[in-house]
Amino acid sequence: MPRPLGELEDAVMTRVWQWNRPVTVREVLEDLQQERSIAYTTVMTVMDNLHQKGWVRREAEGRAYRYTAVSTRAAYSAALMNEAWSTSDNPAAALVAFFGMMSAEQRESLRDAVRIVQPAEETPDPAEPAEGDSGGASADRGR
C-alpha cells in the first residue's frame, strides 16, 4: 500500500481525480492559486513526485507534460482503510468502532456496497433460520 498523500499532494490529486482527464501543471497551478499562493515550480515538483511514486502517468505535449491519474480516489481511500484495518490487533473491534463513527448516510452507503459485492443469493435473509437451524419456518417449506 502506498503511503498516504501529503496535504499538497492530496490537493493536486483531488484536481486530477475530479477533472478525470489529462491535466497540465499550469491548469493545476491556476486552480490551486484560487485557494493559496503557490509557485509554478512547486506544483511542477509535486506532480513530478506523484509521477515517480506511481500516482500519475504523464505524456509529453510539446515542452510540457499532461498528467493522468493511475487509479481512482475510491481505490486510494479503500487502500488506506484496508491498511488501517489490517494493522489492528483486533480487526472486529476496529470495524465496530469505525461503524460507530459513521453517519446514517455512510452506514446506508455501506449497506449498498455490501449488496453490490455480496449478491442477494449469498446474503442470508434475517427472516430465515440459518442452515441446520430446526426452529422457524423456511421460505421453501410448504411448496
Side-chain angles (χ1 to χ4, degrees), residues 23-31 33 40 43 47 65:
V23 300
T24 64
V25 171
R26 175 79 47 206
E27 290 173 308
V28 174
L29 169 72
E30 290 172 359
D31 200 61
Q33 285 179 330
Y40 180 91
V43 177
M47 294 186 82
Y65 288 107

Side-chain angles (χ1 to χ4, degrees), residues 113-124:
V114 169
R115 282 188 210 86
I116 290 168
V117 298
Q118 188 175 28
E121 63 272 6
E122 294 178 19
T123 306

Side-chain angles (χ1 to χ4, degrees), residues 9-113:
E9 290 173 328
D10 186 69
V12 169
M13 284 306 301
T14 294
R15 282 145 181 89
V16 175
W17 283 319
Q18 285 177 342
W19 296 340
N20 196 28
R21 61 173 173 77
V23 300
T24 64
V25 171
R26 175 79 47 206
E27 290 173 308
V28 174
L29 169 72
E30 290 172 359
D31 200 61
L32 283 170
Q33 285 179 330
Q34 294 177 27
E35 300 172 357
R36 63 179 90 191
S37 177
I38 190 165
Y40 180 91
T41 53
T42 302
V43 177
M44 183 175 64
T45 299
V46 169
M47 294 186 82
D48 183 60
N49 290 343
L50 289 167
H51 174 256
Q52 291 188 25
K53 292 177 182 180
W55 288 102
V56 294
R57 66 177 142 273
R58 66 184 181 193
E59 292 185 28
E61 184 176 279
R63 293 179 19 182
Y65 288 107
R66 285 208 171 263
Y67 294 85
T68 308
V70 169
S71 189
T72 64
R73 162 81 80 189
Y76 168 66
S77 297
L80 290 178
M81 289 187 289
N82 186 57
E83 176 70 13
W85 183 52
S86 67
T87 60
S88 173
D89 60 347
N90 188 341
L95 283 175
V96 170
F98 179 63
F99 297 156
M101 294 177 198
M102 297 173 108
S103 68
E105 288 174 352
Q106 290 169 322
R107 285 191 301 276
E108 186 58 34
S109 293
L110 176 63
R111 283 191 276 288
D112 291 344

